[in-house]
Amino acid sequence: MLRGLLGLTWLEINIFVREPMGVFGTVGIPVLLFVVLGRMLGPRARFGSPDVPRFISVDLPIFAALLIAASAVLSLIAIMAIYREGGILKRLRATPLRPHTILTAHVIVKLLFTAVTLAAMVLAGRRFYPVSASVPLLSFTLALLVSTVSILSLGFLIASIVPTARFAQPIGTAIIYPMLGLSGLFVPIASLPPVLQVIARALPSTYAVSLLRGIWLGEGWSGHVGDVVMLAVLFLVFTAVSTKVFRWE
């Protein structure tokens, strides 16, 4: 099982890097946006002025991190739809590999590229956006990976019901990006209408923002146990539902 998982993961990495547009969308776009915004807004954060808006001092890295997760999810949705429509999933199902092994391989690939993208973002943007030495980058990376796993489970649910590869990207975009708007990153959850507050509490992005923001500010993991628990619960729920409805052909 482990050998099959490692072999399939390596195969998926090779397939992914052969698609320049996919690599650019997953890695290049978040890094590019962070560099551009950092160049525009970073000088204000560099001097530590108290009147610097929260988005510049704290939430810009969170926004870039969520873009990394969103790109990974959209890439996953598109790949699953293409594999299903091309009959690849059906052929993989006929191999000795178990379904959860096949899906786990895709999750590992997305997590690897998430870590690579975050590292590239920090290296490329540090000239324009100063990262304080007190920021725990290792913990922040771990928090991003935890958040990405939970958000990826929502991606699997979307991929389970999306009809064809043609509609995969539009449907995924129509769900993922509005989800970021309800995450509390731009507007506090308490300021949203009651119905949107309920929806926000059912989305992993809400708890991802809280966790990432807290870790970036130097808060310990003990202060965000609730966020981690909710991310885990949503992961289990979305995974269970997608397993039931996932179409292999």
Side-chain angles (χ1 to χ4, degrees):
M1 175 181 171
L2 180 59
R3 180 179 298 179
L5 175 61
L6 294 176
L8 183 58
T9 300
W10 180 247
L11 176 63
E12 291 297 336
I13 291 175
N14 288 325
I15 292 174
F16 184 76
V17 297
R18 290 174 187 170
E19 294 292 337
M21 291 305 297
V23 175
F24 179 73
T26 301
V27 180
I29 290 180
V31 173
L32 181 62
L33 284 175
F34 183 71
V35 169
V36 171
L37 291 175
R39 187 167 186 175
M40 293 169 55
L41 306 174
R44 297 187 63 187
R46 182 173 289 112
F47 299 105
S49 175
D51 64 342
V52 174
R54 185 188 182 104
F55 182 78
I56 299 176
S57 61
V58 177
D59 288 345
L60 179 56
I62 312 305
F63 175 64
L66 286 179
L67 281 181
I68 295 174
S71 297
V73 173
L74 292 176
S75 174
L76 174 70
I77 294 171
I79 289 174
M80 288 289 101
I82 292 172
Y83 277 22
R84 181 186 294 115
E85 197 166 327
I88 299 175
L89 285 179
K90 184 178 181 180
R91 291 195 291 272
L92 284 173
R93 186 71 183 276
T95 68
L97 294 174
R98 296 180 179 180
H100 67 268
T101 302
I102 298 171
L103 300 180
T104 300
H106 284 279
V107 171
I108 292 175
V109 172
K110 299 308 174 188
L111 292 181
L112 286 174
F113 279 98
T114 295
V116 169
T117 306
L118 180 62
M121 183 185 77
V122 172
L123 292 174
R126 63 181 179 178
R127 178 181 176 185
F128 308 109
Y129 188 89
V131 177
S132 173
S134 62
V135 173
L137 290 178
L138 184 59
S139 290
F140 186 79
T141 302
L142 180 58
L144 176 58
L145 294 179
V146 170
S147 302
T148 302
V149 169
S150 184
I151 298 174
L152 279 173
S153 65
L154 176 59
F156 271 122
L157 179 57
I158 299 172
S160 301
I161 59 178
V162 70
T164 63
R166 178 181 300 176
F167 295 103
Q169 203 72 11
I171 293 176
T173 301
I175 295 175
I176 296 301
Y177 286 119
M179 180 183 74
L180 300 184
L182 296 176
S183 65
L185 184 63
F186 307 103
V187 179
I189 301 296
S191 300
L192 296 174
V195 174
L196 293 183
Q197 289 187 36
V198 173
I199 296 175
R201 298 298 181 189
L203 297 173
S205 58
T206 301
Y207 307 99
V209 166
S210 177
L211 176 62
L212 291 169
R213 184 181 279 162
I215 297 299
W216 185 266
L217 291 173
E219 299 173 3
W221 284 81
S222 59
H224 293 275
V225 173
D227 294 324
V228 175
V229 169
M230 286 305 303
L231 287 170
V233 168
L234 292 175
F235 167 78
L236 293 175
V237 171
F238 291 145
T239 301
V241 175
S242 60
T243 300
K244 294 292 185 181
V245 302
F246 194 86
R247 297 184 297 109
W248 291 91
E249 55 184 43

